[in-house]
Amino acid sequence: MKLILLDYDGTISPIDVSPDNAYPSAKVLESIDYSRKKGNKIAIVSMKSCYLLIDRVKADAYACIGGAEIIYGNRSCIDTELIKYQDDAIELIDFIKKDKNIKDSKAKIDIKKTTSNLIAGITIDWRFSYYPKSLPLIIEQAKKLKLKVIEYENEPFIDILISKANKEDSVLYLKTLFNPEITIYFGDSENDLPAFKVSDISILVLNKYNEHLKNVGVNEIVDFDNVWEAIRRYADN
């Protein structure tokens, strides 16, 4: 049995569309279904909230908001450290909402919560607006509160995480849960690099933002438009 782990944005879903319209193609969904029917396990490992992922992709497990919550079957496992930092998360959200530059830039603020309604992450996204000049101050404030900030070299958004967990932790947990013969990870971003290191096969999915990652050292590089074929191929081989 293979465990095939899939990042969401930029890997199985287009990264250059509005988040509200970011759905995997029919070919990708068919490849995921095909892999599961072959007896493999599929898990989505993403910065998005579980409730959104469950609605968009049928999988065996979901590791959400950078590892803050993992769902499989009827179970939800949550990083209990989230409880400790809820007041800090609320303070940062209030700080962001009061910021005039954020309002003027019309950047999208996405507050990500677990299925038990704990704040687990904040994304500031200016893909369809423009760079907020006060972003360095927001990053500084987040770090003062001891929250984790992920900045991306070429991508027009940042992630602020309340949990200290990362995608490496998610992969290790899922490997323990499913005990696969081989683990295959598809990702496209800096936040996928820790997961690549603990997977047997690492696959970088190229999109418009990540040419700079071509030399990170992975087993294979595939174009976004061909990821459906790669999922099916690894399900067979």
Side-chain angles (χ1 to χ4, degrees):
M1 183 266 288
K2 304 182 189 86
L3 174 60
I4 300 177
L5 303 155
L6 304 168
D7 172 51
Y8 191 82
D9 282 326
T11 297
I12 62 169
S13 175
I15 199 169
D16 54 354
V17 300
S18 164
D20 293 336
N21 297 316
Y23 286 82
S25 68
K27 283 184 175 181
V28 166
L29 294 177
E30 288 167 4
S31 292
I32 290 172
D33 187 52
Y34 174 82
S35 180
R36 296 179 74 207
K37 287 178 179 177
K38 294 277 290 186
N40 303 304
K41 299 295 183 181
I42 293 281
I44 309 300
V45 182
S46 172
M47 304 302 286
K48 289 192 173 297
S49 301
C50 278
Y51 70 86
L52 184 146
L53 296 171
I54 291 169
D55 185 56
R56 298 187 183 188
V57 187
K58 186 177 287 187
D60 298 288
Y62 305 85
C64 316
I65 322 173
E69 180 172 25
I70 295 177
I71 289 180
Y72 57 98
N74 60 357
R75 296 187 178 186
S76 169
C77 300
I78 296 172
D79 180 3
T80 55
E81 284 287 295
L82 289 176
I83 299 169
K84 178 180 175 182
Y85 292 100
Q86 288 301 287
D87 288 344
D88 295 322
I90 292 168
E91 180 180 335
L92 182 63
I93 290 167
D94 187 55
F95 184 86
I96 293 169
K97 287 183 174 179
K98 288 179 178 178
D99 188 276
K100 184 178 183 300
N101 283 306
I102 288 287
K103 291 178 182 177
D104 290 345
S105 74
K106 298 182 180 179
K108 180 178 174 60
I109 310 302
D110 185 12
I111 299 167
K112 299 171 181 178
K113 296 184 178 181
T114 66
T115 53
S116 57
N117 211 37
L118 290 171
I119 301 167
I122 305 161
T123 297
I124 302 175
D125 183 342
W126 59 95
R127 272 178 287 185
F128 303 101
S129 53
Y130 60 88
Y131 179 83
K133 294 179 181 177
S134 59
L135 191 63
L137 293 176
I138 292 169
I139 292 171
E140 181 183 351
Q141 180 67 10
K143 290 181 177 178
K144 280 182 182 178
L145 294 169
K146 301 189 185 309
L147 305 180
K148 183 167 67 176
V149 179
I150 303 179
E151 299 179 72
Y152 304 97
E153 185 172 329
N154 290 334
E155 294 173 320
F157 49 84
I158 66 164
D159 287 308
I160 301 169
L161 300 179
I162 315 307
S163 168
K164 300 300 186 289
N166 63 27
K167 290 186 175 183
E168 175 181 345
D169 301 317
S170 298
V171 173
L172 293 174
Y173 185 95
L174 292 166
K175 286 171 73 171
T176 300
L177 177 65
F178 291 114
N179 191 27
E181 294 176 21
I182 190 166
T183 302
I184 304 158
Y185 190 95
F186 289 75
D188 75 301
S189 182
E190 282 91 341
N191 64 46
D192 295 304
L193 299 182
F196 283 153
K197 293 177 182 178
V198 292
S199 300
D200 299 307
I201 297 175
S202 54
I203 300 158
L204 177 68
V205 180
L206 279 184
N207 57 51
K208 65 184 288 186
Y209 293 120
N210 66 355
E211 285 285 329
H212 64 288
L213 294 178
K214 289 177 75 171
N215 297 317
V216 297
V218 292
N219 296 103
E220 185 177 354
I221 297 175
V222 300
D223 290 330
F224 173 79
D225 290 339
N226 296 324
V227 70
W228 68 272
E229 183 275 333
I231 295 169
R232 182 174 285 259
R233 171 162 45 86
Y234 277 101
D236 284 331
N237 296 334

